[in-house]
Amino acid sequence: MDSVDRRDFMKTVAATAAASALDGNAAEADRARPIFLSTWAHGKPANERAAEVFKSSGSLLDAVEKGINVPENDPNVTSVGYGGLPNAEGVVELDAAIMDGTRHRTGSVCALRMIKNPISVARLVLERTSHTTLAGDGAFQFALKLGFEAQTLLTPQSLQKWLDWKANPQHKTYWLSAENHDTIGMVATDGNGHLVSGCSTSGAAFKIPGRVGDSPLVGCGVYADDNVGGASATGDGDLMTNYCTSVSIVHFMRRGASPQEACMELLKHMVETDGKNKDTQVGLIAMNKHGEIGAACMNEGFFLKYALWKDGQSQLLDSARLY
Ligand code: SD4
């Protein structure tokens, strides 16, 4: 190498080093700008935990999983995990899914009994198998094999609610109609275009045993695509499954809608196809790859509060509503 070449070489080395230092800084800065968006008041502590996990170098998948573990572990949240309301036979059956927007892959579990953290089992379906969804006893056996502990998921409160429901001769059953919804859905970004969506629920209270809602179904309860954005849903899963809510929202965004417009568009579509849907329970959250967010619900009777963690601030906010 002559001296001119050597100078050029040294310049290139210095420039490359500077660029990668900048990249490193940019990556660090991006890690400092994650956003966590979740459904309901229980989404707030879930977001806070997710932010904490991400800040201590967890991946975005770790953050969403551990965040969702918070309401799953909370006996006072009667629609998720431990303490979730049981099916018509008094048995708690849980649904959960987690989708990685980079790999475009999901892990999910349906009608899982006796395991209080279905989102963590779903995560292992994603990481440790070539399957997408495990259901019922298969999901339970899988969880046991991977070291999860079987335990009762009924609490004195949820048992009492089921006993009261049973004792009421007028109680609603899912052979006719539905009641009680309140899942945790979370959509998260690392601030650098990567998205993860997760969802966990005990589903419709007093449901027919074996019933699977929208939450563990890819494209219904969750969807995430790093090229566009992510979405999650809460409410009447028997209805929402038929609208493939989360993937529909992401497709609206793909065509140029903002996350807020995309949520509203889906609600309008639901009412256009069936006017009775005006009175149904639907809550939607969405985020695009730039970190813009949307949240909307169908009506005042099922008014969605959503939790947002952004720039170190954790808030509980009112969604927009169509009616
Ligand atoms: C379900 N969508 O199983 C769930 C329940 C729910 O807010 O979202 N509650 O139908």
Side-chain angles (χ1 to χ4, degrees):
M1 204 180 278
D2 67 24
S3 63
V4 176
D5 280 353
R6 180 181 299 270
R7 260 201 315 273
D8 284 351
F9 174 75
M10 292 313 288
K11 264 193 215 155
T12 309
V13 169
T16 308
S20 57
L22 274 178
D23 278 358
N25 288 342
E28 268 315 298
D30 286 334
R31 275 197 75 80
R33 285 203 303 272
I35 303 171
F36 299 95
L37 170 67
S38 294
T39 56
W40 306 115
H42 53 236
K44 196 163 175 271
N47 285 348
E48 287 161 8
R49 176 76 185 123
E52 216 173 80
V53 169
F54 190 74
K55 211 170 147 195
S56 38
S57 302
S59 69
L60 198 61
L61 278 160
D62 293 336
V64 170
E65 177 197 339
K66 304 293 178 212
I68 288 178
N69 285 161
V70 174
E72 284 181 339
N73 293 340
D74 185 344
N76 297 316
V77 178
T78 58
S79 53
V80 183
Y82 177 61
L85 292 177
N87 66 19
E89 286 172 0
V91 178
V92 180
E93 288 183 333
L94 304 176
D95 292 339
I98 188 162
M99 182 161 184
D100 176 348
T102 305
R103 286 182 280 171
H104 211 88
R105 280 212 59 223
T106 309
S108 81
V109 289
C110 308
L112 175 63
R113 297 181 174 198
M114 298 184 75
I115 304 288
K116 77 172 171 181
N117 294 125
I119 195 75
S120 299
V121 185
R123 172 84 191 275
L124 289 175
V125 174
L126 170 68
E127 306 294 1
R128 303 279 290 272
T129 80
S130 53
H131 297 316
T132 299
T133 303
L134 295 180
D137 190 52
F140 177 63
Q141 296 303 333
F142 173 79
L144 291 185
K145 221 173 256 170
L146 289 171
F148 288 81
E149 262 173 44
Q151 66 172 91
T152 176
L153 300 179
L154 279 174
T155 58
Q157 299 94 300
S158 61
L159 175 62
Q160 192 54 53
K161 282 196 176 153
W162 176 72
L163 290 170
D164 293 346
W165 173 81
K166 269 242 16 110
N168 177 359
Q170 250 100 59
H171 71 224
K172 283 187 186 168
T173 77
Y174 279 86
W175 298 103
L176 299 170
S177 60
E179 57 182 301
N180 185 78
H181 297 282
D182 247 12
T183 197
I184 170 111
M186 185 184 288
V187 185
T189 181
D190 61 355
N192 196 24
H194 173 38
L195 289 135
V196 169
S197 291
C199 199
S200 180
T201 187
S202 50
F206 319 129
K207 59 196 173 186
I208 296 170
R211 176 264 192 188
V212 172
D214 60 319
S215 307
L217 304 179
V218 189
C220 297
V222 293
Y223 201 71
D225 177 349
D226 282 4
N227 296 308
V228 184
S232 186
T234 176
D236 181 348
D238 293 294
L239 173 80
M240 290 191 293
T241 294
N242 289 286
Y243 287 88
C244 301
T245 41
S246 295
V247 71
S248 299
I249 291 168
V250 171
H251 284 322
F252 289 138
M253 293 196 283
R254 186 188 302 281
R255 292 186 170 189
S258 69
Q260 190 61 42
E261 289 165 346
C263 291
M264 294 307 273
E265 191 60 36
L266 184 71
L267 294 171
K268 284 182 203 153
H269 172 61
M270 290 175 125
V271 176
E272 275 160 19
T273 49
D274 184 350
K276 290 197 292 295
N277 287 340
K278 271 184 190 174
D279 300 320
T280 197
Q281 301 187 334
V282 178
L284 309 169
I285 55 171
M287 189 188 296
N288 66 19
K289 64 179 178 183
H290 307 297
E292 293 162 342
I293 64 146
C297 61
M298 185 64 88
N299 54 48
E300 209 170 2
F302 186 72
F303 186 68
L304 175 66
K305 293 251 181 202
Y306 69 96
L308 179 65
W309 192 100
K310 188 177 176 179
D311 298 329
Q313 266 205 319
S314 183
Q315 290 175 284
L316 187 64
L317 300 160
D318 289 346
S319 69
R321 64 185 164 85
L322 188 56
Y323 293 102

